[in-house]
Amino acid sequence: MVEKYVFEYENENEFKKLESALKKYNMLAYKKLYFEYYPALKAGSLVGEKTKTEEGQDYYEVILPTDALFSKVHGDAKLHYKVNSETKIITIITLSPEDIFTEGHQSELVTYKGVMVSKQHSDKDLFKINLLNMIQK
């Protein structure tokens, strides 16, 4: 018999906001998450890298596919979750980088050369994007 896992959320409302921003700004990562990773997790195939074990629960991180420039400016997009093997419950923790996804959910973000630019750190983000483009040339 196939082992089925059940999803729970540490904070469902906040996670759905982050997921919505991921869908809006990075459709490829959202599709991979929704159509590959979620079904694999529910079937019991734990994807990603195990980061730690605490109190009988294993913590995992899954790196989602993103543009290389986005990863260099904001960091890798990751799904964080924990697994309780005894109860067959997967608790979805968060998506990172939280700050850019939270900001993207609250208001429309502008893009510069195909990368989301934070309103709070716009100078820093623009500098990183221009620097990385100069290095590539």
Side-chain angles (χ1 to χ4, degrees):
M1 184 167 177
V2 177
E3 295 183 31
K4 295 285 184 177
Y5 282 77
V6 178
F7 281 178
E8 285 184 353
Y9 297 91
E10 215 170 63
N11 186 341
E12 187 171 3
N13 288 338
E14 285 302 313
F15 182 79
K16 291 298 181 182
K17 290 176 186 177
L18 297 174
E19 195 177 51
S20 171
L22 178 71
K23 181 180 181 182
K24 183 175 186 178
Y25 293 107
N26 193 338
M27 184 56 81
L28 174 63
Y30 178 79
K31 284 182 179 179
K32 190 92 163 168
L33 177 69
Y34 203 78
F35 295 111
E36 285 186 34
Y37 296 148
Y38 285 166
L41 289 171
K42 286 182 180 179
S45 174
L46 304 176
V47 295
E49 183 179 315
K50 186 176 182 181
T51 57
K52 64 181 177 178
T53 301
E54 277 183 7
E55 301 171 8
Q57 295 186 343
D58 298 325
Y59 288 76
Y60 289 86
E61 284 182 350
V62 179
I63 297 177
L64 302 174
T66 57
D67 181 56
L69 197 54
F70 175 88
S71 293
K72 289 177 183 175
V73 173
H74 300 291
D76 288 330
K78 295 179 184 177
L79 169 69
H80 301 270
Y81 68 95
K82 62 184 175 182
V83 178
N84 187 329
S85 299
E86 290 179 14
T87 59
K88 304 286 186 229
I89 293 176
I90 294 175
T91 304
I92 305 292
I93 300 170
T94 190
L95 286 170
S96 63
E98 285 184 49
D99 56 345
I100 194 74
F101 289 140
T102 301
E103 192 175 334
H105 177 74
Q106 292 171 352
S107 64
E108 189 74 27
L109 292 179
V110 296
T111 59
Y112 178 70
K113 297 188 180 182
V115 180
M116 296 184 303
V117 176
S118 168
K119 289 183 181 179
Q120 292 177 336
H121 316 114
S122 61
D123 292 339
K124 182 179 167 186
D125 290 349
L126 291 173
F127 176 76
K128 283 182 181 178
I129 294 167
N130 287 329
L131 181 63
L132 291 167
N133 280 328
M134 285 175 26
I135 291 172
Q136 288 177 344
K137 290 181 181 178

